[in-house]
Amino acid sequence: MRKPKILVLGAGYAGMMTTKKLSQQLRPDEADITLVNKHNYHYLTTWLHEVAAGTATPNSSRVMISDVVNTKRVQLHFDSVVEIKKDEQRVILENGELSYDYLVIALGFETATFGIPGIKEHALKIENINSSRYIRDHIEFQFARYSSSDEKNEDALNILVGGAGFTGIEFVGELAKRVPELCKEYNVPREKVRIINVEAAPNILPGFDEELVEYAQKSLEERGVEFRIGTKIQKCTEEGFIVGDDHEEIKAGTVVWTGGVQANPVVQQSGFELVKGKVNVDGDLRVPGHDNLFIIGDCSWVMDKENDRPYPANAQSAIQEAETCASNLTSLLRNEDLQDFSFDYKGTVASLGGADAMGTILDDKKLYGMKAKAMKNIIDDRYLFLVGGPKLVLKKGKVKFF
Ligand code: FAD
Ligand code: NAD
């Protein structure tokens, strides 16, 4: 009898953990498992702000997939997904196509532009290893050009960040650490470089705990970050942002947009209906009307029925969704009942650059400074442990054991 084929698209947090769990739960005679990813490496999306600022290297933030996935059990296919033909159970790739009996879509996010003119064309984005490395190199290029030119363009050293959600805040935190290093290297006075973070809401990190937000803002301002809160970005040009009702221009040589995310464009291009940028899936993580199709991670919303709103879409939930998805796929193959996803919120910790961080853990206990930073490192290393065991923690981990 032909074995069912399971196809997992995307080797991010959701896809990697689904694949790992499936390879542990299913016997080889129960199904073939194939993991499709653009690259032969898995990158740690939650570390990308460090790569973009230049405080971490691209190599420290990625893992070869074949080093952590059981290749005797899982077939690896490195190619880009172009379209999902759900009615024909086929996936079109840049260099071929694959068919499936069961599909897991875990292709992650793209940065949402909300139709703001010029963002797509002119702003840099923290989306993957390459786009983040580009930002790092672009910033360094601005310093190199400034220090070697006779006519100094003072605006060129400014770094403008649009959006003060967690990505924007973690990025400016890393910049606060990196900019003094660059100033020293290129012999540029620190006061010549402005790091400006623009946020439309009345405060940074909208919706997050007030005390922690206050702590983050103060800490970042003390290290030279300027905030423009309650200031909506109207337009992005080659020169910077046009903001507010009076259309003020803020000029910078580096403009980075961290204003929000939506599902990978392949999802919409494949005919899935998007609600607020993502696909609404059922409690068991399947697409309504498609019993063999799961969408998890940043491509979907899962409803928290108790609170009548979607669960947050972040790495924490992507990892947990992967567990439910793998377990439900196993149940489907074994004709057992499926379970609904339930999010076990473990807290939120954000780094603020260097040894600083803040956040909440477990029972909403607040952490600040070095304690929060230590917790953030533990959270990062816990994921490395889940995906690659102690060997990967020793190789790439942030907690130093020696
Ligand atoms: P991803 O991890 O983005 O993985 C998607 C995968 O799909 C990638 O491997 C990509 O290469 C692949 N792919 C994309 N397109 C294609 C294609 N066409 N064909 C083939 N493969 C493709 N969340 C937290 O909970 N805590 C944090 O501290 C945190 N920090 C963050 C920091 C930053 C800078 C950012 C940007 C996000 C952060 N998040 C954090 C959010 C978190 O990273 C995402 O929610 C999480 O990565 C979602 O996982 P995913 O598997 O859906 O997508
Ligand atoms: P986000 O949607 O959380 O934040 C985007 C910010 O941009 C918002 O504050 C929004 O008000 C602002 N914005 C949007 N349009 C604007 C405009 N025109 N002008 C000015 N400001 C504007 O997006 P994100 O920060 O990229 O985060 C994406 C997801 O990843 C979230 O779920 C987040 O919680 C998660 N994340 C978590 C962590 C962490 O836990 N440490 C770190 C990074 C990201």
Side-chain angles (χ1 to χ4, degrees):
M1 207 176 77
R2 189 176 76 82
K3 264 193 281 176
K5 284 194 261 182
I6 301 176
L7 212 54
V8 180
L9 307 181
Y13 290 78
M16 283 297 278
M17 290 311 294
T18 303
T19 306
K20 271 219 93 114
K21 292 278 167 192
L22 284 174
S23 67
Q24 289 162 354
Q25 286 167 18
L26 287 173
R27 293 188 314 272
D29 62 306
E30 283 184 294
D32 286 330
I33 307 163
T34 302
L35 174 63
V36 181
N37 196 57
K38 216 177 227 179
H39 310 107
N40 60 356
Y41 57 83
H42 159 62
Y43 54 80
L44 302 150
T45 310
T46 62
W47 302 14
L48 287 180
H49 55 288
E50 298 173 36
V51 177
T55 51
T57 62
N59 276 347
S60 66
S61 313
R62 64 180 161 188
V63 177
M64 295 305 286
I65 296 173
S66 56
D67 283 352
V68 289
V69 164
N70 177 359
T71 49
K72 288 197 184 101
R73 187 68 192 89
V74 178
Q75 253 189 298
L76 300 177
H77 204 102
F78 302 127
D79 203 343
S80 282
V81 177
V82 176
E83 194 185 345
I84 298 148
K85 301 241 180 224
K86 51 185 179 306
D87 299 324
E88 300 165 27
Q89 302 197 174
R90 285 190 305 137
V91 173
I92 311 298
L93 306 169
E94 235 166 57
N95 302 298
E97 65 172 69
L98 292 167
S99 63
Y100 63 85
D101 297 299
Y102 299 94
L103 184 70
V104 179
I105 302 175
L107 291 167
F109 71 96
E110 70 164 348
T111 309
T113 65
F114 307 116
I116 300 170
I119 293 279
K120 193 164 177 263
E121 297 80 2
H122 304 302
L124 303 177
K125 288 141 201 130
I126 304 175
E127 279 181 331
N128 50 51
I129 286 277
N130 288 332
S131 77
S132 304
R133 185 190 351 224
Y134 189 100
I135 294 172
R136 176 198 69 179
D137 291 351
H138 180 88
I139 293 172
E140 186 148 359
F141 172 71
Q142 298 301 326
F143 274 82
R145 189 165 60 175
Y146 180 89
S147 58
S148 63
S149 62
D150 296 331
E151 277 178 37
K152 307 281 189 207
N153 171 6
E154 301 292 333
D155 295 326
L157 292 176
N158 291 347
I159 306 171
L160 199 48
V161 181
F166 279 101
T167 302
I169 288 300
E170 288 200 315
F171 180 50
V172 294
E174 294 305 313
L175 288 175
K177 176 166 188 270
R178 180 68 179 142
V179 163
E181 292 168 2
L182 285 168
C183 285
K184 208 167 162 196
E185 202 174 326
Y186 288 93
N187 201 18
V188 172
R190 171 64 185 88
E191 61 277 9
K192 294 262 180 222
V193 188
R194 294 174 69 196
I195 305 166
I196 311 159
N197 192 185
V198 184
E199 168 58 50
N203 48 270
I204 65 167
L205 299 172
F208 199 53
D209 179 276
E210 265 177 47
E211 267 175 23
L212 292 169
V213 167
E214 206 177 295
Y215 173 86
Q217 182 163 346
K218 189 164 172 278
S219 161
L220 291 166
E221 281 174 342
E222 277 169 6
R223 284 177 287 137
V225 177
E226 296 171 41
F227 288 104
R228 292 291 305 271
I229 53 177
T231 306
K232 192 171 176 192
I233 296 157
Q234 310 281 9
K235 194 175 167 185
C236 181
T237 67
E238 263 178 60
E239 310 261 87
F241 286 144
I242 308 291
V243 304
D245 294 337
D246 53 355
H247 293 262
E248 178 196 348
E249 183 176 29
I250 311 177
K251 287 188 177 185
T254 304
V255 180
V256 181
W257 170 250
T258 56
V261 299
Q262 62 192 25
N264 186 304
V266 167
V267 174
Q268 188 170 30
Q269 282 151 20
S270 304
F272 292 96
E273 192 193 335
L274 300 193
V275 179
K276 293 200 175 151
K278 300 185 185 187
V279 180
N280 280 336
V281 292
D282 286 336
D284 59 17
L285 307 179
R286 290 186 293 180
V287 179
H290 293 272
D291 285 351
N292 61 344
L293 213 164
F294 294 78
I295 306 190
I296 57 174
D298 274 0
C299 287
S300 66
W301 296 119
V302 193
M303 214 44 200
D304 172 2
K305 288 180 188 137
E306 236 171 73
N307 296 304
D308 199 28
R309 59 167 188 236
Y311 289 116
N314 55 27
Q316 198 183 142
S317 56
I319 295 164
Q320 293 182 26
E321 284 170 29
E323 284 181 24
T324 304
C325 176
S327 147
N328 279 347
L329 263 167
T330 305
S331 300
L332 263 181
L333 286 163
R334 293 177 185 166
N335 283 322
E336 292 165 1
D337 289 340
L338 274 63
Q339 50 169 307
D340 273 358
F341 173 72
S342 164
F343 182 49
D344 177 15
Y345 179 62
K346 292 182 171 23
T348 299
V349 183
S351 60
L352 300 171
D356 203 6
M358 57 83 198
T360 59
I361 50 160
L362 299 172
D363 47 1
D364 277 344
K365 182 176 162 46
K366 291 177 196 178
L367 291 181
Y368 303 87
M370 281 168 72
K371 272 190 189 164
K373 183 66 186 181
M375 181 52 66
K376 179 80 174 127
N377 289 343
I378 290 169
I379 294 166
D380 287 344
D381 284 8
R382 177 182 173 269
Y383 174 69
L384 293 179
F385 183 80
L386 290 176
V387 89
K391 209 169 131 197
L392 188 61
V393 179
L394 285 173
K395 198 170 165 193
K396 305 263 174 181
K398 290 187 171 171
V399 177
K400 297 291 164 231
F401 294 96
F402 307 105

